[in-house]
Amino acid sequence: MPTSPHALLGIAAVALGLVLTPGPNMIYLVSRSVTQGRRAGLVSLTGVAVGFLVYLLAATAGLATVFSLVPALYTALKLGGAAYLLWLAWKAVRPGGESAFAPKALPIDPPRRLFAMGFVTNLLNPKIAILYVSLLPQFVDPSRGHIAGQSLALGLTQITVALTVNALIVLSAGSLAAFLGRRPAWLRVQRYLMGTVLAGLAIRIAADRSRVLATP
């Protein structure tokens, strides 16, 4: 198996930490589900899924080139990804941080527009761009060969985690929004927990001293 179980678990942990942190995808899906219902939320999630596949195909096609670049560039990408995770952690714990479960009202849209909005929201999501450009390459081991295959397996793992969690959020958005709206202390716990997870991931990535090897 080209991809190690350790790498798959690592990217799954990163994907879980990111998907549970409020961002454009979560805010849009929660707002859409609360405003227009679960079916609309799931149609929007289909668009999000296609956006993930676009990023995955681009990453799979280009990672061989990334690994052949100078080590300084790889280091910059790694530190940039760690810095972004720390910024997300700060956003989660800062005073007055906004919860994704305080949804915004949205107009009623037909399925085609729901799909398109989910797709565009994901393509323009900086969390996903950083994930595929800076974080995912760190779990690829050039010494195992099959870089494109490893990237594909890692990306599919991330997509599976993200879509599973987002589907659960869509199906329970209304109940969660009502529950958390009546319990502000729970919102603070959720924010601090996610901030801690993201900060831990950032420190681990920044402290990783492994170097990228050129493919044979």
Side-chain angles (χ1 to χ4, degrees), residues 4-188:
S4 71
H6 178 75
L8 292 174
L9 289 174
I11 197 65
V14 170
L16 184 61
L18 290 179
V19 75
L20 289 176
T21 304
N25 286 348
M26 181 186 288
I27 292 171
Y28 176 71
L29 291 172
V30 169
S31 297
R32 179 58 67 190
S33 300
V34 171
T35 299
Q36 199 170 340
R38 293 175 178 173
R39 182 175 181 276
L42 291 174
V43 172
S44 300
L45 181 58
T46 304
V48 170
V50 175
F52 279 132
L53 291 175
V54 170
Y55 271 113
L56 175 58
L57 292 175
T60 300
L63 271 178
T65 302
V66 171
F67 280 115
S68 67
L69 295 174
V70 293
L73 179 57
Y74 173 74
T75 301
L77 289 173
K78 179 173 70 172
L79 294 179
Y84 183 71
L85 288 178
L86 284 175
W87 181 69
L88 289 177
W90 164 243
K91 284 188 65 177
V93 302
R94 68 181 180 182
E98 187 179 35
S99 171
F101 291 97
K104 302 174 182 178
L106 296 174
I108 303 300
D109 287 328
R112 181 179 298 180
R113 181 168 176 78
L114 293 174
F115 175 89
M117 286 299 296
F119 176 69
V120 172
T121 298
N122 199 22
L123 280 187
L124 300 180
N125 187 346
K127 283 202 302 184
I128 307 307
I130 289 292
L131 171 65
Y132 278 92
V133 171
S134 181
L135 302 181
L136 185 142
Q138 296 175 53
F139 294 92
V140 176
D141 183 358
S143 66
R144 299 175 72 95
H146 305 287
I147 288 180
Q150 290 186 63
S151 303
L152 183 63
L154 292 167
L156 290 175
T157 300
Q158 178 270 324
I159 291 173
T160 299
V161 171
L163 292 184
T164 299
V165 174
N166 276 319
L168 292 173
I169 289 172
V170 165
L171 294 174
S172 58
S175 299
L176 281 173
F179 177 84
L180 293 175
R182 296 191 300 268
R183 296 167 177 82
W186 285 65
L187 282 176
R188 288 194 295 272

